[in-house]
């Protein structure tokens, strides 16, 4: 092994990282957490140890000499008050224990959910395109729920078990030291055995949680694409995929169950040995060692209470394992570096004109090989206010170029300037607020049409929203709906037609009124009549704005100021429609191949 390898710091385990995230939200409420521990100790001590101790004193007092009937309250009233007081305090601490745990969970869930949401929403598009949305939702829910599992296991089980062992040993060591020594030795054996069995089960829990997340992802994928499933008659196929994932869950859970039962059997055997010890000491303790009757009562009660607590170790370790397993996948995601992040002290991008300069750009996707470049030393200048069309065959880099402008991915080399400002040095939010983006597939939320249109300008008035819908040729169909602008669009806008969804998305861009406009196949979902009306709206929208239009339909870009033809990440032609037709190159060939292609002079 090289010296460099030896000196490389060991990466923290996933368990350690999970504990780190959970402790971070717990530390904020440290007084509440400490009070939860104190309440647990008080609850265990007063109800499980103070009571038997007082009863032991009573037994010894009764054994010492007879008490006359008229002297019962006089002799035993201190013990009675002590017992009542111990129970009052025990019940008080019990309720405080519940209250503090509840408060801790409420605030921790809020903090964890916020952190996960921020992490996921700030991750790159590469991250999201490689994952099931359903799995991320499942992992988030399990990660948040696992906090409760671990906290409750700690407060309601780990601390009571640990404190029971300490209280038992401390309260008996002065009375029966030999018994305490033997008991302590058996408890050490019990804990060592439990720990080693626990380590063997932990990876089984992570696998079980992973299988469950995969099952959630499969279910989400099938339900999200239910129209394709039904129209192709593939219900049986999807059922097979789901059943396969479900069997993986069954197999993983079965392995975890068998390992847990084996561990429980071993620890139960040690518990039987401990109880055998206490029975022997109780039966012969007075004769062999002169142990008083009250102490014998304490020995049995404390040891029995301790073994009952230790019987919970099996289920406690199972819960701890399950919680850590449930948190495993999301912990890994939270530890992943953000592929696209704002630089330190990133500035706010301010666009007054809309000049775009793409200088010496080299780019390949983060999950691709370095040799698989999309652009290599690519350069392009787009003056402010110019309307530019990007055309070319699939895979030529058209959409990727808009992705880089939006900084949904980071460049490997080169830079992109907007009004002379490097977008890599600006905050992503300020950059994207300056760009109106309409993608090929409309991106609608399961919210009202009003909310969807106003997404880029949340403070827009009803009149502004209506005007945007009118300009996008969406007002007529919206007002024809029973609930008008308050109509909910369904998940991803499924309750609207493709053309309707696209018009709502265009209305959103119109309302946002950003100085730079990116249209990625924005009219691809429209019929010819709607397309012409939308092109009229886009003419007004693009007026005075730097516009980049990605299109396969050449009629969409034919009347723009400039058309750029891309092939394999390189500019092969650059000019107006008339210039490129006259040149007889690739654009002219594409134009001639498109049946029904027409030049729309309205844009």
């Amino acid at each position: 092994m090289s010296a460099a390898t030896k000196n490389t710091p060991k990466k923290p385990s996933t368990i350690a990282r999970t504990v780190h995230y959970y402790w971070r939200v717990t530390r904020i409420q440290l007084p509440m957490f400490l009070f939860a521990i104190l309440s647990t100790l008080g609850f265990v001590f007063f109800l499980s140890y103070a009571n038997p101790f007082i009863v032991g004193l009573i037994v010894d007092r009764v054994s010492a000499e007879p008490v006359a009937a008229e002297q019962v309250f006089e002799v035993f009233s201190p013990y009675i008050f002590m017992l009542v007081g111990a129970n009052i305090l025990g019940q008080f601490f019990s309720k405080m224990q519940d209250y503090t745990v509840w408060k801790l969970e409420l605030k921790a869930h809020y903090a964890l959910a916020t952190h996960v949401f921020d992490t996921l929403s700030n991750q790159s598009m590469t991250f999201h395109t490689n994952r099931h949305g359903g799995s991320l939702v499942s992992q988030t829910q399990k990660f948040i729920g696992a906090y409760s599992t671990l906290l409750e296991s700690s407060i309601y089980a780990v601390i009571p078990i640990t404190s029971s062992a300490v209280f038992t040993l401390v309260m008996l060591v002065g009375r029966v030291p030999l018994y305490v020594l033997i008991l302590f030795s058996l408890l050490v054996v019990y804990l060592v055995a439990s720990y080693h069995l626990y380590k063997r089960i932990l990876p089984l829990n992570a696998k079980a949680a992973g299988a469950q997340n995969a099952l959630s992802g499969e279910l989400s994928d099938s339900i999200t694409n239910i129209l394709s499933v039904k129209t192709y008659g593939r219900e049986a196929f999807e059922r097979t995929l789901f059943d396969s994932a479900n069997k993986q869950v069954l197999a993983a859970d079965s392995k975890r169950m068998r390992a847990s039962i084996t561990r429980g059997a071993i620890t139960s055997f040690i518990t039987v040995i401990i109880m055998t010890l206490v029975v022997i000491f109780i039966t012969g303790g007075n004769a062999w060692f002169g142990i008083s009757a009250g102490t014998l009562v304490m020995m049995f009660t404390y040891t029995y209470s301790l073994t009952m607590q230790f019987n919970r170790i099996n289920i406690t370790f199972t819960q701890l394992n399950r919680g850590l397993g449930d948190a495993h996948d999301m912990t890994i995601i939270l530890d992943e570096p953000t592929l696209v992040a704002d630089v330190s002290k990133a500035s706010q991008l301010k666009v007054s004109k809309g000049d775009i300069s793409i200088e010496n750009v080299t780019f390949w996707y983060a999950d691709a090989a370095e040799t698989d470049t999309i652009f290599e030393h690519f350069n392009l200048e787009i003056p402010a206010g110019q309307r530019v069309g990007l055309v070319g065959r699939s895979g030529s880099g058209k959409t990727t170029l808009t992705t880089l402008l939006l900084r949904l991915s980071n460049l490997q080399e080169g830079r992109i300037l907007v009004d002379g400002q490097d977008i890599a040095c600006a905050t992503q939010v300020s950059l994207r607020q300056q760009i109106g983006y309409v993608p090929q597939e409309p991106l609608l939320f399961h919210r009202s049409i009003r909310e969807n249109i106003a997404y880029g300008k949340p403070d827009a008035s009803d009149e502004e929203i209506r005007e945007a819908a009118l300009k996008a040729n969406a007002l007529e169909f919206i007002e024809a709906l029973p609930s008008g602008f308050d109509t909910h669009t369904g998940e991803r806008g499924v309750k609207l037609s493709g053309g309707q969804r696209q018009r709502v998305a265009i209305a959103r861009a119109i309302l946002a009124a950003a100085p730079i406009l990116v249209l990625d196949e924005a009219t691809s979902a429209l019929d010819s009549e709607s397309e012409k009306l939308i092109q009229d709206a886009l003419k007004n929208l693009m007026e005075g704005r730097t516009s980049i239009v990605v299109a396969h339909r050449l009629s969409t870009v034919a009347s723009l100021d400039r058309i750029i033809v891309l092939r394999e990440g390189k500019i092969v032609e650059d000019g107006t429609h008339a210039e490129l037709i006259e040149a007889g190159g690739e654009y002219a060939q594409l134009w001639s191949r498109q049946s029904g292609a027409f030049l729309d002079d309205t844009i």
Side-chain angles (χ1 to χ4, degrees):
M1 183 181 293
S2 66
T5 303
K6 290 180 180 178
N7 294 331
T8 301
K10 187 177 180 181
K11 185 178 180 181
S13 68
T14 305
I15 295 175
R17 294 299 300 161
T18 299
V19 172
H20 162 75
Y21 286 119
Y22 288 163
W23 173 244
R24 194 167 64 180
V25 298
T26 304
R27 188 176 54 198
I28 299 172
Q29 306 178 76
L30 189 58
M32 186 69 68
F33 180 66
L34 294 176
F35 190 50
I37 295 175
L38 178 64
S39 298
T40 303
L41 294 175
F43 165 67
V44 172
F45 177 77
F46 284 108
L47 293 186
S48 298
Y49 287 86
N51 275 335
F53 178 79
I54 298 168
V55 170
L57 295 179
I58 293 173
V59 171
D60 282 342
R61 178 63 183 82
V62 170
S63 302
E65 58 179 312
V67 178
E70 64 274 9
Q71 294 181 312
V72 168
F73 285 105
E74 180 183 347
V75 173
F76 292 107
S77 58
Y79 301 107
I80 295 173
F81 284 118
M82 289 168 63
L83 279 172
V84 172
N87 279 276
I88 290 174
L89 288 172
Q91 293 301 328
F92 169 77
F93 283 119
S94 173
K95 299 304 169 264
M96 288 299 99
Q97 180 191 49
D98 293 338
Y99 170 76
T100 52
V101 168
W102 204 337
K103 288 287 288 184
L104 283 167
E105 288 180 356
L106 286 174
K107 293 191 175 182
H109 285 182
Y110 175 83
L112 290 170
T114 300
H115 179 58
V116 171
F117 180 84
D118 288 343
T119 299
L120 295 180
S121 62
N122 288 321
Q123 267 294 4
S124 67
M125 289 306 299
T126 300
F127 170 90
H128 286 285
T129 53
N130 288 328
R131 286 170 172 81
H132 275 304
S135 291
L136 290 177
V137 172
S138 173
Q139 290 161 8
T140 299
Q141 292 171 335
K142 287 185 176 182
F143 182 76
I144 295 171
Y147 177 86
S148 292
T149 300
L150 296 178
L151 178 66
E152 291 174 10
S153 295
S154 299
I155 298 298
Y156 292 123
V158 174
I159 294 176
I161 291 169
T162 304
S163 60
S164 291
V166 173
F167 289 152
T168 297
L169 298 177
V170 168
M171 297 188 75
L172 292 180
V173 68
R175 294 170 177 263
V176 278
L178 177 62
Y179 175 77
V180 169
L181 178 62
I182 298 173
L183 179 62
F184 177 76
S185 301
L186 290 173
L187 292 180
V188 170
V189 172
Y190 187 102
L191 291 173
V192 170
S194 295
Y195 175 71
H196 283 289
L197 292 168
Y198 162 80
K199 287 178 63 178
R200 293 176 57 187
I201 294 175
L202 187 60
L204 298 179
N205 282 281
K207 289 181 180 179
Q212 185 62 55
N213 289 331
L215 179 67
S216 298
E218 183 59 48
L219 177 62
S220 173
D221 199 29
S222 182
I223 295 301
T224 301
N225 295 284
I226 191 65
L227 182 60
S228 296
V229 174
K230 289 187 173 295
T231 53
Y232 283 90
R234 298 283 280 175
E235 289 90 345
F237 174 74
E238 292 299 321
R239 168 64 187 274
T240 300
L241 292 179
F242 181 81
D243 191 54
S244 175
N246 208 7
K247 285 179 179 176
Q248 293 294 324
V249 173
L250 178 62
D253 281 339
S254 296
K255 286 184 179 179
R256 178 167 61 178
M257 175 196 69
R258 288 192 292 270
S260 295
I261 290 176
T262 300
R263 181 183 63 193
I266 294 173
T267 53
S268 294
F269 176 72
I270 300 175
T271 301
V272 171
I273 295 177
I274 293 174
M275 287 309 299
T276 301
L277 168 69
V278 73
V279 168
I280 292 173
F281 261 85
I282 287 174
T283 53
N286 181 264
W288 299 334
F289 307 109
I291 301 174
S292 69
T295 301
L296 293 175
V297 170
M298 291 169 58
M299 288 171 59
F300 177 80
T301 306
Y302 289 168
T303 307
Y304 180 77
S305 176
L306 179 61
T307 56
M308 290 300 98
Q309 290 284 8
F310 268 62
N311 275 337
R312 299 172 60 195
I313 286 182
N314 187 42
I315 188 63
T316 299
F317 274 145
T318 299
Q319 291 171 340
L320 291 172
N321 272 323
R322 181 167 295 169
L324 292 170
D326 285 348
H328 179 272
D329 288 355
M330 183 51 67
T331 298
I332 292 176
I333 288 174
L334 293 176
D335 280 345
E336 282 193 27
T338 303
L339 296 179
V340 181
D342 289 342
V343 297
S344 177
K345 298 181 180 178
S347 60
Q348 296 290 311
L349 187 74
K350 297 178 181 179
V351 180
S352 57
K353 297 183 295 182
D355 284 314
I356 299 174
S357 299
I358 300 175
E359 300 179 352
N360 202 33
V361 162
T362 296
F363 172 74
W364 63 87
Y365 284 104
D367 54 354
E370 185 175 339
T371 55
D372 191 14
T373 57
I374 308 298
F375 296 108
E376 190 169 356
H377 305 300
F378 182 88
N379 292 277
L380 177 63
E381 292 285 337
I382 301 177
Q386 189 174 73
R387 303 173 305 164
V388 177
L390 297 181
V391 300
R393 293 179 173 84
S394 296
S396 60
K398 304 184 299 297
T399 297
T400 301
L401 198 59
T402 63
T403 297
L404 295 178
L405 176 61
L406 287 160
R407 205 175 163 227
L408 298 175
S409 295
N410 272 338
L411 302 173
Q412 280 79 26
E413 294 179 21
R415 60 180 186 165
I416 298 176
L417 307 177
V418 174
D419 280 357
Q421 303 162 81
D422 189 343
I423 65 172
C425 298
T427 64
Q428 296 173 69
V429 170
S430 67
L431 166 67
R432 293 163 192 161
Q433 286 176 342
Q434 304 300 320
I435 301 174
Y437 177 61
V438 182
Q440 181 175 2
E441 181 182 351
L443 305 174
L444 300 187
F445 295 92
H446 185 18
R447 301 169 191 172
S448 70
I449 292 177
R450 185 191 315 279
E451 291 173 292
N452 273 286
I453 293 177
Y455 196 72
K457 188 180 180 183
D459 58 346
S461 66
D462 287 347
E463 185 56 36
E464 288 176 310
I465 294 171
R466 190 177 186 280
E467 183 66 20
L470 177 64
K471 290 180 178 179
N473 193 33
L475 183 61
E476 183 178 352
F477 89 78
I478 292 174
E479 291 187 334
L481 296 170
S483 300
F485 281 92
D486 294 322
T487 301
H488 276 247
T489 62
E491 187 175 5
R492 298 185 180 181
V494 70
K495 292 168 68 175
L496 303 180
S497 70
Q500 290 172 337
R501 290 197 297 270
Q502 194 66 288
R503 281 176 275 175
V504 170
I506 292 172
R508 177 193 295 165
I510 290 173
L511 185 61
I516 298 173
L517 182 65
V518 174
L519 305 174
D520 189 355
E521 295 285 357
T523 61
S524 63
L526 303 176
D527 55 56
S528 298
E529 181 180 356
S530 295
E531 180 184 6
K532 186 178 186 305
L533 295 171
I534 290 299
Q535 286 177 343
D536 288 337
L538 293 179
K539 177 183 178 181
N540 296 326
L541 174 62
M542 288 189 285
E543 188 67 36
R545 294 188 174 90
T546 307
S547 304
I548 299 175
V549 182
V550 177
H552 281 100
R553 287 186 187 180
L554 299 187
S555 59
T556 305
V557 300
S559 293
L560 298 180
D561 302 325
R562 179 183 176 193
I563 299 170
I564 295 171
V565 182
L566 295 176
R567 185 202 306 147
E568 296 180 353
K570 295 179 176 60
I571 298 175
V572 293
E573 289 185 286
D574 186 348
T576 65
H577 170 78
E579 290 170 346
L580 297 182
I581 290 294
E582 185 179 352
E586 186 168 327
Y587 178 82
Q589 294 174 12
L590 291 172
W591 178 263
S592 65
R593 290 173 186 170
Q594 288 197 5
S595 59
F598 63 92
L599 177 58
D600 182 357
D601 59 6
T602 61
I603 292 187

